[in-house]
Amino acid sequence: MSAVDDLVPALVALRRDIHAHPELGYREHRTAALIAAQLRAIGVEVHEGIGGTGVVGVLHHGTSPRTIGLRADMDALPIEEQNDHAWRSTMPGAFHGCGHDGHVAMLLGAAQHLARTREFDGTIHFIFQPAEEGLGGARAMVRDGLFTRFPCDRVFALHNWPDLPMGTIATRPGSIMGAADKFEIVVTGRGGHAAIPHDTPDAILAAAQLATQLNTVVSRRIAPTASAVLSITRINGGHTHNVLPASVVLGGTIRTFDPAVQDVIEDAVRGIAAGVALSFDVTVEVDYDRYYPATINHADAAAEAMAAAATVGEAQLAPEPAFTSEDFSFMLQACPGAYVWLGQARAESPSMPLHNPRYDFNDAVLPLGIRLHVALAERHLAKA
Ligand SMILES: [Zn+2]
Ligand SMILES: [Zn+2]
C-alpha cells in the first residue's frame, strides 16, 4: 500500500487551519487560494473560478485517454461552533460542522501523493467545489462546464460519516442520499376581530388543517414499500389574543429517493392546499422547490469504489440510503460515479453528528481517506 503517512502531519495542520478559517458557500476565497497554492507547489495544473470559487487541479501522466474526477467540497455551515479546541472557528457564525475541511485535506493529500508517485496512466481531475450546503455549488460547477472542460469517465466523492466506525468505507449502487425539496405555504385570509369569527376567514385554523392533512401524505398516498419523509418545520402567524391574523406561513421539507414518489408528493401538497383554501375561504399559495435531487450511484462506479475500498480498509455494502441530501447528485446526473461514506467514529467515544455545533472532523481518518482517493485513481487509471 502506498505510503502516505509522511504527508499526514502537514495535512492535519492544514485541516485545522481551514477549520479555524471557515467560509460560507461561494465565499471560499481563502480556502480556494490555499488549495490552488498547494496544487501549484506540487506541479498540478490549476484552474480557478469554476462555478464561483471552485478549483480544478489537473494531473496528467502517461498516454492513456482515461480520466477520473475526485471531488471535495470546501464550504462551512452558518453555525456558531461550541468546541473550545485550539483550532476552533475564528469566524463568528461560520463553522466546519460537516467536515468539509477534512475533505479538502484528504484530496490535497491524494494530489500530493499521486503527483510524486505517478503510478497511473491517464488524467486525474481534483475537483474542489464551493457551496455544498444548500446552495448547489456542484450544479454551478457543472453549468460552468466542469465535465466539458475536464471530461471524466468517472467521478467520486467521499463524505466522512459519523455513523460508521473509523476504518470502514461504505457505499451502495443506486440511491445513497435523498432528494431534498422544501416548501413554503402562505395562507391568506382578511384578518379581523377574534370575537367576530363568522366575518373573518380563519387563517390559523386553515394552517392547522394543512399541517394535519399534509402529515397524511406519506402514510396515505405513498406505497408502504416506498420511502419518503415530509416534515413541517415552521408555522408563523398571529401576534395577540383578540385578532385573527390576515396570514399564516407554514414551511417544511420533503425527502425522497424516487422522482415518481416526489411527483406524487408535490401533487398531493398542491391538491391539499387547494382543498383547504376552498373549505376555509382563504387563499393558499404554495412555493415548492426541488432544490437537490437524489444522489444515485452508478452501479459500475459503486462496484469500483467497493473494490478500491477493500484494498485500503473495511469495505461495507451500505444496507440503505440516508435521508440527508448532497449536491454531488448534480455531478452524478452529468457523469457516472459514486458517493462513498468514510467511517469517522472513534471506538472510545461516539462522534458528534454532522451539523452539530460540537462536531469536529476526526483527523485520524485522514490517511485512510487519502489512500482511498489514491486507490480509486490508481485502479481506474491502471498502467497497462
Ligand atoms: Zn453538511
Ligand atoms: Zn457535508
Side-chain angles (χ1 to χ4, degrees):
M1 185 21 58
S2 317
V4 300
D5 293 344
D6 61 310
L7 301 171
V8 171
L11 289 165
V12 170
L14 177 85
R15 200 285 292 180
R16 293 178 178 184
D17 177 66
I18 295 171
H19 189 95
H21 301 91
E23 295 171 301
L24 300 179
Y26 295 119
R27 296 183 220 160
E28 306 92 336
H29 301 289
R30 180 185 187 275
T31 311
L34 210 150
I35 290 165
Q38 293 258 333
L39 291 174
R40 284 196 185 96
I42 55 171
V44 171
E45 178 188 313
V46 174
H47 301 261
E48 293 173 90
I50 300 162
T53 46
V55 179
V56 176
V58 183
L59 184 62
H60 299 286
H61 185 68
T63 55
S64 166
R66 292 178 72 81
T67 56
I68 188 173
L70 301 169
R71 170 275 209 174
D73 36 15
M74 306 186 287
D75 58 321
L77 284 160
I79 298 178
E80 205 66 50
E81 179 167 16
Q82 286 178 17
N83 292 308
D84 46 19
H85 41 52
W87 56 93
R88 79 181 301 277
S89 170
T90 58
M91 307 296 289
F95 161 51
H96 271 294
C98 204
H100 300 179
D101 47 350
H103 300 169
V104 168
M106 292 190 299
L107 190 54
L108 280 174
Q112 290 170 357
H113 183 78
L114 289 158
R116 72 183 177 184
T117 55
R118 301 194 179 231
E119 291 294 324
F120 64 92
D121 186 8
T123 303
I124 306 171
H125 295 129
F126 301 100
I127 302 167
F128 295 88
Q129 81 150 75
E132 191 287 320
E133 298 289 359
L135 298 172
R139 179 178 46 206
M141 288 191 86
V142 171
R143 284 184 179 163
D144 208 1
L146 175 65
F147 293 121
T148 47
R149 294 172 64 187
F150 311 99
C152 298
D153 316 327
R154 288 276 187 276
V155 65
F156 294 95
L158 310 187
H159 205 296
N160 76 96
W161 211 247
D163 291 342
L164 287 172
M166 209 167 91
T168 58
I169 298 158
T171 190
R172 68 198 306 275
S175 60
I176 186 158
M177 304 285 280
D181 304 353
K182 61 185 173 186
F183 59 87
E184 186 172 275
I185 300 177
V186 181
V187 180
T188 309
R190 278 196 306 275
H193 204 295
I196 315 172
H198 54 289
D199 278 346
T200 310
D202 191 339
I204 286 190
L205 197 53
Q209 281 291 322
L210 269 174
T212 306
Q213 292 192 28
L214 291 174
N215 271 290
T216 67
V217 170
V218 173
S219 70
R220 303 291 89 181
R221 308 279 187 102
I222 303 301
T225 46
S227 42
V229 175
L230 184 155
S231 290
I232 293 169
T233 54
R234 184 162 75 83
I235 297 189
N236 301 105
H239 59 280
T240 189
H241 69 101
N242 58 355
V243 174
L244 289 171
S247 73
V248 177
V249 179
L250 286 85
T253 190
I254 287 151
R255 304 299 169 104
T256 53
F257 300 107
D258 177 350
V261 171
Q262 202 176 8
D263 289 345
V264 170
I265 295 181
E266 180 174 349
D267 283 353
V269 169
R270 293 186 184 281
I272 287 170
V276 167
L278 190 64
S279 60
F280 283 82
D281 190 25
V282 290
T283 59
V284 180
E285 282 171 59
V286 179
D287 180 9
Y288 192 102
D289 179 15
R290 302 184 180 206
Y291 66 99
Y292 282 180
T295 304
I296 310 290
N297 282 343
H298 295 245
D300 292 352
E304 236 179 280
M306 287 292 283
T311 67
V312 296
E314 183 170 333
Q316 288 181 359
L317 191 63
E320 53 192 29
F323 273 98
T324 46
S325 64
E326 218 330 312
D327 80 345
F328 187 61
S329 52
F330 292 109
M331 291 197 188
L332 292 184
Q333 287 182 337
C335 179
Y339 185 74
V340 180
W341 294 333
L342 184 66
Q344 133 113 4
R346 298 169 182 85
E348 65 281 9
S349 64
S351 172
M352 285 291 166
L354 298 172
H355 295 204
N356 181 287
R358 302 193 82 85
Y359 165 88
D360 190 33
F361 181 85
N362 179 357
D363 287 317
V365 307
L366 276 171
L368 182 59
I370 297 168
R371 288 192 182 98
L372 180 54
H373 278 308
V374 168
L376 285 164
E378 288 182 348
R379 290 175 64 88
H380 189 73
L381 308 178
K383 289 180 168 175

